[in-house]
Amino acid sequence: MKTIDILVILFGLATGSFLNVCAARLPLKRSVLWGRSQCPVCGHQISWYDNIPLLSFVLLKGKCRYCKAKISLQYPLIEAFSALVTYALYLKFGLSITAVFYGIFIYFLIVIGLIDFKTKLILNRLLIPLFTAGVLINFFGEIIPFKDALSGAFLGGGIMWMAAILGAKIFKKEAMGMGDVKLAFVAGFFLGWQHILLALYLGFVIALLFILAIWLFKKKEAPSLIPMGPFLALGFIVYLFYGKLLIQWYLSWLS
């Protein structure tokens, strides 16, 4: 493995640590740039040597140094996942403006998914800067033709908006929040109209598999309100890397 590969992975690990901070603080309207991290149980400030991505979790055996409370698996998992997707972006796009474009997209999706899973909220404070960054980077880098990007945004948002209305009529209650609609709008800009529908479909498939897993392994009904943000985010990320392979695999079954 070359030095650049190691640096990219280390950058992904550090970014994952920051994404955990964002997911924890943004719903509480706390700064993500200032203030030391604290143990959520005992409130003790976490020293830098206990905050090294992945390594500190292993050395501490998954427990707080001071109160011995268990550290959530979310932290090392997000750090590892961030490193994985960062390295995958590097392998796919190299050190390019395209990698930056989709890297920002994925990092925001991770935070959006985490927050929605915990709070059932998709924050405009994340969607607005994500969309703004996408527009600015695409304006200078022209990763996706602007017509395709804007068409994808309106197509994705429109499809989700119609699904929300149809779901509300069928189930006689809110079946999908407007946050999901706005997320689909922003994702459509990053993916383009040619890909947003299949990416949305993949997100719904992942959500369905999650519901089936709850029913099969826990022998109980799924919660009445399931946040779609995490599943849509995962669907977008998977489609970004494996969309063409999935399409080829599906077409091979039809031939």
Side-chain angles (χ1 to χ4, degrees), residues 116 120 175 180 207 210-211 214 222-231:
D116 191 30
K120 296 182 174 61
D180 299 315
F210 174 77
I211 294 172
I214 291 178
S224 58
L225 182 59
I226 296 177
M228 280 299 299
F231 306 108

Side-chain angles (χ1 to χ4, degrees), residues 139-177:
F139 178 79
F140 292 103
E142 198 173 350
I143 292 90
I144 301 176
F146 250 87
K147 286 185 178 180
D148 291 349
L150 288 176
S151 298
F154 285 105
L155 180 61
I159 291 294
M160 289 295 284
W161 180 71
M162 288 189 290
I165 293 177
L166 183 61
K169 289 184 177 181
I170 293 175
F171 298 107
K172 306 300 181 183
K173 62 179 181 180
E174 184 182 274
M176 190 176 300

Side-chain angles (χ1 to χ4, degrees), residues 37-247:
S37 297
Q38 299 175 326
C39 171
V41 178
C42 68
H44 200 287
Q45 283 192 347
I46 300 175
S47 302
W48 68 267
Y49 48 80
D50 287 337
N51 212 17
I52 303 173
L54 282 185
L55 181 61
S56 292
F57 182 86
V58 174
L59 294 177
L60 291 169
K61 299 179 180 179
K63 296 180 180 179
C64 172
R65 179 182 295 274
Y66 305 98
C67 68
K68 305 305 178 183
K70 288 185 177 181
I71 300 172
S72 172
L73 277 174
Q74 170 196 309
Y75 296 102
L77 289 177
I78 292 301
E79 289 165 356
F81 183 69
S82 177
L84 178 65
V85 295
T86 300
Y87 189 58
L89 281 171
Y90 167 69
L91 293 179
K92 187 176 181 67
F93 301 112
L95 298 177
S96 64
I97 189 68
T98 303
V100 173
F101 181 75
Y102 288 116
I104 289 175
F105 179 49
I106 290 175
Y107 296 149
F108 269 84
L109 286 178
I110 291 172
V111 178
I112 288 169
L114 285 173
I115 292 176
D116 191 30
F117 185 77
K118 292 182 177 180
T119 68
K120 296 182 174 61
L121 293 173
I122 296 179
L123 305 177
N124 289 332
R125 283 175 289 153
L126 287 168
L127 293 176
I128 292 173
L130 173 57
F131 182 69
T132 302
V135 171
L136 291 176
I137 295 173
N138 201 39
F139 178 79
F140 292 103
E142 198 173 350
I143 292 90
I144 301 176
F146 250 87
K147 286 185 178 180
D148 291 349
L150 288 176
S151 298
F154 285 105
L155 180 61
I159 291 294
M160 289 295 284
W161 180 71
M162 288 189 290
I165 293 177
L166 183 61
K169 289 184 177 181
I170 293 175
F171 298 107
K172 306 300 181 183
K173 62 179 181 180
E174 184 182 274
M176 190 176 300
M178 288 304 297
D180 299 315
V181 176
K182 290 180 281 189
L183 175 59
F185 176 89
V186 175
F189 184 88
F190 279 84
L191 296 175
W193 67 268
Q194 303 97 326
H195 305 289
I196 185 59
L197 288 181
L198 289 174
L200 283 172
Y201 175 75
L202 185 57
F204 278 102
V205 169
I206 294 173
L208 178 60
L209 292 175
F210 174 77
I211 294 172
L212 290 175
I214 291 178
W215 181 70
L216 288 173
F217 296 105
K218 293 193 174 182
K219 303 298 182 181
K220 64 179 183 179
E221 293 185 2
S224 58
L225 182 59
I226 296 177
M228 280 299 299
F231 306 108
L232 292 176
L234 186 57
F236 298 149
I237 294 172
V238 171
Y239 185 84
L240 181 61
F241 290 111
Y242 298 106
K244 290 183 179 179
L245 289 176
L246 289 172
I247 293 172

